[in-house]
Each structure stands twice: as C-alpha cells, then as structure tokens.
Amino acid sequence: MTTFQPKSVVILGALSGVARYIADGFAREGFAVALAGRDLEEMELLAADLRERHEVTCCCLKFDALDIDSHASFVQETTEALGALPGGVVACFGYMADQTEAQRDFALIRKTLDTNLTGAISILERFAAAFEERQSGFMAALSSVAGDRGRKANYFYGAAKAGLSAYLQGLRNRLHASGVKVTTIKPGFMDTPMTYGMDLPGALVAAPQSAAQAMTRAILKGKNVVYVPFFWRYIMWIIRSIPEWQFKKMSI
Ligand SMILES: NC(=O)c1ccc[n+]([C@@H]2O[C@H](COP(=O)([O-])OP(=O)(O)OC[C@H]3O[C@@H](n4cnc5c(N)ncnc54)[C@H](OP(=O)(O)O)[C@@H]3O)[C@@H](O)[C@H]2O)c1
C-alpha cells in the first residue's frame, strides 16, 4: 500500500503568475510542495525560496500538459519525489491564444483545447484514481469565468474552460463518496503574463497575490466552486442572464 502524506500538494504549472503564490500559500501552511512544470531551472529557484522562507520540503518535477503519454507515470514520480502519495493536486497551467489568430489557424485552437481541457483531464484522472483508491485527498483546477458564457472575444479558450468546469463538476460528483474534495476555481481577470498587454478594465483586474490567497483558502476549506474575486459570481450571473437574442448583438 502506498503511504500517504496528507500535508503535501502537487502544483501543476507551478510557474504561472498565480501558481507561484498558491505554492507559497501552501508552504506557509506547512505543506510539502512538489512544483511541476516545463522549466526545471526556474522552478528550482522558486523551490529554494519556499524552502528558505517556510522550512518545508519542496521538490521539482518536469511536467508538460501536452505530453499525455508521460502522465501515466507522473503520479508515481510525484510519490517518489515527496516520499509518499501527495495529499492533493492543484492544476494551474493554462494557455490562451489570440482569438483572431486562432480563427485563422486551427493549430492554435487545438493547442488551446489540448492544454486546457485534454491535458487537464488526462493528468487529473490519474490523481483521481489514486485518491479514490486511498479514499481521501483534494483536487483543484483553475478554470475560468470565460467558460460560463461563450463570447466572440475568446470562445476557443472559453469552450475549453467550459469543458474543464463540466469535467470537474462530474469528478466532484464521482469522488464525493470516497471523501475526495474537488474545487473548481473560476478566476476573473488577473494581472499575470497571460493577460499581459491586454486592454482590460483596471478595476476588475486582480493582483495574483490576493487571488492566490482566496484560491488556497477555498481549496483548504474544500469548497465546490469558487469565483475569484468573489464578485465575479454576480458579474457572471448577470452575463448569463442576458437573453441570447440580445447577447449576440453585444461586444462584451
Ligand atoms: N490571468 C487571467 O486573467 C486568468 C483568468 C481566468 C483563468 N486563468 C487561468 O489561471 C491559470 C493560471 O494562469 P496565469 O494567469 O497564472 O497565466 P500564466 O502566468 O500565463 O501561466 C500559465 C502557465 O501555464 C503553463 N503551461 C502552459 N502550457 C503548458 C503545458 N503544456 N504544460 C505545462 N504547463 C503549461 C505555463 O508554463 P511555462 O511557464 O512553461 O510557459 C505557465 O506557467 C490558467 O489555467 C489560466 O487559464 C487566468
């Protein structure tokens, strides 16, 4: 039987603008952290910082959401690196292509779907199986408010995130009986490399530090669905309530 380390977490896409602070939040709570992403050298710098500031175990693992074949062995690699099956997993990776460019190039649409949806389902299913067998654990993924309603400005990304949200909803339903918590995180705009250079309404753009705090809190409380910041729940409620005949004429 695999041993279990309840106070440990794997952060997938650990170098994302917001994931860095999520990793910090877990380390602050005394969790051992496995950072997983594409750039080992950069992750080692983050790991050294977390070890020094929070005196926790922190290791780094190569992870590529698009390398589906590598996902089969990833849970085992994480278990070996942490010395035990981790308590939880948080999927932070994501990719958003320019919408207009993507409309002209199916490769970009495919990358959007493969990264945000197929890649996420592939790796989360691996952890789901291990946690379900163990009958405990927590899982979370960063979806997006973009998945709540399709908009002309980013509907490929929105379609992928809508799929991810539906997947997480079903996964939560499946894992409830085994005591595994599944948290869907729906951020609004955040000031990270993903939105760099975009013309966004400043008052609605969250700092990644505060967004990460809200996310970490929600995961630790085992929440089902959380909008970050909270007011996006109401914004999206209004946006979803606009009738389709009117919505299709709008540019929001
Ligand atoms: N920023 C926003 O306004 C916003 C709003 C709603 C939802 N989100 C979601 O929040 C999450 C975090 O995004 P962010 O805002 O922090 O953006 P970010 O700084 O651009 O981070 C995206 C991360 O995803 C990683 N990634 C991309 N493709 C990958 C792959 N194939 N395998 C592994 N990692 C991959 C990138 O890794 P590299 O460092 O190797 O490139 C990067 O670290 C994403 O899921 C995003 O969709 C963001």
Side-chain angles (χ1 to χ4, degrees):
M1 199 177 89
T2 328
T3 47
F4 164 39
Q5 200 191 50
K7 267 202 134 178
S8 64
V9 64
V10 190
I11 310 285
L12 303 168
L15 293 176
S16 109
V18 70
R20 293 167 177 271
Y21 296 105
I22 295 175
D24 187 84
F26 275 101
R28 191 181 298 273
E29 292 293 324
F31 276 68
V33 180
L35 304 172
R38 296 187 289 195
D39 187 340
L40 272 178
E41 220 172 292
E42 186 68 25
M43 283 190 301
E44 282 299 349
L45 296 176
L46 177 59
D49 178 56
L50 295 180
R51 281 186 214 110
E52 179 156 331
R53 285 189 301 111
H54 304 299
E55 296 178 354
V56 290
T57 300
C58 191
C59 56
C60 301
L61 294 157
K62 193 102 181 142
F63 170 76
D64 186 338
L66 294 172
D67 187 4
I68 300 286
D69 290 346
S70 70
H71 296 179
S73 56
F74 188 76
V75 175
Q76 186 56 31
E77 283 165 33
T78 311
T79 302
E80 279 164 20
L82 284 169
L85 184 63
V89 59
V90 185
C92 301
F93 59 85
Y95 169 73
M96 181 166 64
D98 177 81
Q99 172 73 24
T100 317
E101 271 179 49
Q103 283 168 210
R104 290 191 289 259
D105 181 357
F106 186 74
L108 295 177
I109 300 176
R110 186 175 209 161
K111 189 174 169 190
T112 304
L113 295 171
D114 286 352
T115 307
N116 296 296
L117 184 58
T118 315
I121 292 178
S122 165
I123 191 62
L124 290 174
E125 276 300 289
R126 302 283 175 181
F127 280 101
F131 292 174
E132 188 173 39
E133 190 187 341
R134 185 182 67 194
Q135 299 269 298
S136 69
F138 63 89
M139 305 183 67
L142 274 63
S143 186
S144 172
V145 296
D148 277 15
R149 189 151 195 182
R151 294 186 305 121
K152 64 181 170 187
N154 68 349
Y155 64 85
F156 303 124
Y157 175 77
K161 292 297 193 180
L164 178 61
S165 294
Y167 165 73
L168 293 168
Q169 197 170 35
L171 185 66
R172 179 160 48 247
N173 194 194
R174 165 187 156 194
L175 295 181
H176 174 72
S178 52
V180 180
K181 303 283 187 198
V182 178
T183 304
T184 307
I185 299 173
K186 295 185 178 183
F189 305 129
M190 296 184 292
D191 184 12
T192 66
M194 186 171 277
T195 55
Y196 181 76
M198 287 184 184
D199 186 18
L200 300 172
L204 292 182
V205 180
Q209 294 91 325
S210 58
Q213 266 178 21
M215 293 173 188
T216 311
R217 225 176 12 244
I219 297 166
L220 290 172
K221 283 185 177 169
K223 296 266 188 201
N224 296 321
V225 181
V226 61
Y227 285 80
V228 178
F230 72 95
F231 54 74
W232 279 96
R233 182 178 291 277
Y234 307 106
I235 295 177
M236 294 317 296
W237 181 82
I238 293 166
I239 290 179
R240 280 196 315 273
S241 315
I242 302 171
E244 196 64 19
W245 64 264
Q246 189 177 358
F247 194 75
K248 71 181 180 186
K249 299 177 196 162
M250 296 170 72
S251 289
I252 53 171

